[in-house]
Amino acid sequence: CTMTSEIGAGAMSSVQRVFTEGFTSVATGLSTVATKAKEVFNPALKKPEQIVDEAIASICEGLQLIGDAVCNGEIPNESKLKDGKNKVSAGLDTVKKSLKAPESDNRKSFCSYLALKLASSSLMMHLVEFLSLLEFEARKDVSVIFRIVLQRQLKEQQLQQQQIVQQQQLLLQHEQEQEKQDQPQQHSTASSDAAPVTPANRVASHVTHAPAFSIDFLCAEYDTDSSEGTRRGNTLFQLLCGYKFAQSSSTCCGQMLRECAKHESLATRLREIVKQAARCASDHCHQLQLQLQQQHAESG
């Protein structure tokens, strides 16, 4: 009342309007800040690619810490080992929860992008290699992620094959209808030397290239590694090596190997690894036997 009597009703209304506009601007700004904060701190609002990149960065950093803690010196660095395990566990937990989220376009994008990143970084092979050093829940997460991604990629590949076959069948039907409408002379002048392009050929050429983590990728990874003679830089070999450790043999490596055994191409390569290991063991035993015979002959 005092301010109204001193500055007048008109001036007072102007002051109220200014205060109202100011408060409205502040409220709008706070709302924008809150929205941005939700995007940063709520993984559900992040883009699938961003979630994958952040999770994989955490996993890779954790694996690096675990490797440094174990490899540098006989006694592991417990502090660095614990930090590495925590980072790997956090990244794997994020990936698993996103893969198990309700079906949506974001989940499909997440799985497709994750498969690409797993293949390009060979992350799954390194996770299997360090599997016995991870926490129990992290080992289970690796197994779950491996199986979900492999199954989803197989389904997508089968859907793509069906779509390509359907498209090629429609194309062939259309070409056959056009050929029936053409004159007989045109049929005689057509070149018969060119190899016909069939739906099967086109499907095969499409499926053989598999840059994402999938059955084809695991097969190609094993074949490349075997041709180089190392037999250590592929996921299948590391899975079988996981049976040396009680922590990862049955619950994790066993589940992943059972998933691989469902597919003929992977099962064939697993048999090759077992046969190679058996031959190496036989050769080693033969060498030991020869050494023992030689020592016995010298002592005699």
Side-chain angles (χ1 to χ4, degrees), residues 52 55-56 59-60 63 88 91-93 95-96 99 110-111 113-132 134 138-151 153 211-215 217-219 221 232-242 248 252-253 255-257 259-260 266:
V52 172
I56 287 183
I59 294 171
C60 291
L63 290 177
V88 173
L92 290 172
D93 185 64
V95 173
K96 182 189 69 173
L99 285 175
F110 179 89
C111 188
Y113 188 71
L114 176 64
L116 292 173
K117 297 295 286 187
L118 288 177
S120 62
S121 62
S122 298
L123 181 60
M124 185 57 70
M125 183 194 71
H126 296 304
L127 283 170
V128 175
E129 182 180 2
F130 287 97
L131 198 61
S132 61
L134 302 182
R139 295 198 297 269
K140 291 198 301 182
D141 290 345
V142 172
S143 177
V144 170
I145 293 169
F146 180 93
R147 288 177 286 135
I148 290 178
V149 174
L150 208 62
Q151 291 168 3
Q153 289 299 111
F213 185 82
S214 60
I215 296 172
F217 169 79
L218 290 174
C219 292
E221 184 189 44
R232 292 186 180 273
N234 66 85
T235 307
L236 296 178
F237 181 83
Q238 293 297 340
L239 280 174
L240 286 173
C241 288
S248 59
C252 303
C253 288
Q255 291 177 350
M256 289 185 277
L257 284 171
E259 182 64 34
C260 294
L266 293 180

Side-chain angles (χ1 to χ4, degrees), residues 32-298:
T32 303
V33 171
T35 302
K36 294 295 183 182
K38 286 182 179 180
E39 293 178 357
V40 172
F41 296 106
N42 188 358
L45 299 179
K46 293 181 181 180
K47 294 182 179 179
E49 294 80 5
Q50 185 180 0
I51 300 175
V52 172
D53 290 337
E54 292 178 358
I56 287 183
S58 176
I59 294 171
C60 291
E61 185 178 355
L63 290 177
Q64 183 65 44
L65 288 173
I66 293 174
D68 294 342
V70 175
C71 297
N72 295 338
E74 297 180 358
I75 302 176
N77 187 327
E78 294 298 334
S79 176
K80 189 176 289 187
L81 184 62
K82 183 178 179 180
D83 291 341
K85 289 182 178 180
N86 291 337
K87 288 182 179 293
V88 173
S89 297
L92 290 172
D93 185 64
T94 300
V95 173
K96 182 189 69 173
K97 289 180 178 178
S98 299
L99 285 175
K100 288 190 171 183
E103 190 68 33
S104 63
D105 293 338
N106 283 342
R107 181 184 170 186
K108 293 179 181 179
S109 301
F110 179 89
C111 188
S112 299
Y113 188 71
L114 176 64
L116 292 173
K117 297 295 286 187
L118 288 177
S120 62
S121 62
S122 298
L123 181 60
M124 185 57 70
M125 183 194 71
H126 296 304
L127 283 170
V128 175
E129 182 180 2
F130 287 97
L131 198 61
S132 61
L133 299 175
L134 302 182
E135 300 289 349
F136 177 69
E137 290 298 328
R139 295 198 297 269
K140 291 198 301 182
D141 290 345
V142 172
S143 177
V144 170
I145 293 169
F146 180 93
R147 288 177 286 135
I148 290 178
V149 174
L150 208 62
Q151 291 168 3
R152 289 187 65 88
Q153 289 299 111
L154 178 62
K155 290 180 180 179
E156 290 185 5
Q157 191 178 52
Q158 291 173 343
L159 288 175
Q160 291 176 357
Q161 289 178 351
Q162 293 175 0
Q163 292 175 356
I164 292 175
V165 170
Q166 292 175 357
Q167 292 175 358
Q168 296 304 321
Q169 288 177 347
L170 292 174
L171 179 61
L172 287 177
Q173 290 177 1
H174 180 68
E175 291 176 352
Q176 291 174 356
E177 292 177 356
Q178 285 186 338
E179 288 179 357
K180 291 179 180 179
Q181 296 176 359
D182 291 340
Q183 297 180 357
Q185 291 82 1
Q186 294 178 345
H187 293 284
S188 60
T189 58
S191 175
S192 59
D193 297 332
V197 180
T198 64
N201 292 338
R202 295 187 184 180
V203 172
S205 63
H206 175 79
V207 173
T208 50
H209 303 285
F213 185 82
S214 60
I215 296 172
D216 291 339
F217 169 79
L218 290 174
C219 292
E221 184 189 44
Y222 169 80
D223 294 340
T224 302
D225 190 47
S226 297
S227 64
E228 294 175 355
T230 58
R231 293 188 297 277
R232 292 186 180 273
N234 66 85
T235 307
L236 296 178
F237 181 83
Q238 293 297 340
L239 280 174
L240 286 173
C241 288
Y243 271 89
K244 294 187 297 184
F245 308 100
Q247 301 93 324
S248 59
S249 60
S250 60
T251 57
C252 303
C253 288
Q255 291 177 350
M256 289 185 277
L257 284 171
R258 281 194 291 272
E259 182 64 34
C260 294
K262 295 177 183 178
H263 312 287
E264 184 178 357
S265 55
L266 293 180
T268 301
R269 286 161 175 80
L270 288 173
R271 285 195 296 269
E272 291 177 0
I273 297 176
V274 174
K275 289 179 180 178
Q276 290 173 358
R279 285 196 295 268
C280 291
S282 177
D283 294 341
H284 182 65
C285 291
H286 183 64
Q287 291 176 0
L288 289 177
Q289 187 177 6
L290 291 177
Q291 291 177 0
L292 291 174
Q293 290 177 353
Q294 184 177 2
Q295 292 176 0
H296 181 71
E298 292 175 353

